[in-house]
Amino acid sequence: GWPDVAAIKPAGGILYMAELKTETGHVTPAQQAWLTALEQCTGVHTEVLRPAGLEAFVARLRKETS
């Protein structure tokens, strides 16, 4: 259930956690439980990342880390 991707921005104190799925893949209850618990932590951003959203995700990371 633990997310597939963890990326950190130490200077900003932000941790990004992403569950990778295909366009039609489903999040399991265990995966959703982890995402929900992590999202409640200060400085943690979570999402389900699909191929169609990858470019936007990378753009957000670049914007927030520049």
Side-chain angles (χ1 to χ4, degrees):
W2 187 255
D4 298 306
V5 175
I8 191 168
K9 178 185 170 193
I14 300 171
L15 174 65
Y16 299 92
M17 303 293 292
E19 181 61 42
L20 303 178
K21 293 293 177 189
T22 64
E23 293 300 337
T24 57
H26 299 282
V27 176
T28 68
Q31 291 167 334
Q32 187 58 59
W34 272 112
L35 293 173
T36 299
L38 289 164
E39 187 65 34
Q40 294 175 21
C41 298
T42 302
V44 179
H45 299 273
T46 67
E47 70 178 273
V48 176
L49 186 56
R50 300 178 188 279
L54 182 59
E55 191 172 317
F57 178 76
V58 171
R60 281 194 310 277
L61 290 177
R62 286 186 177 148
K63 178 181 179 186
E64 293 179 13
T65 58
S66 60

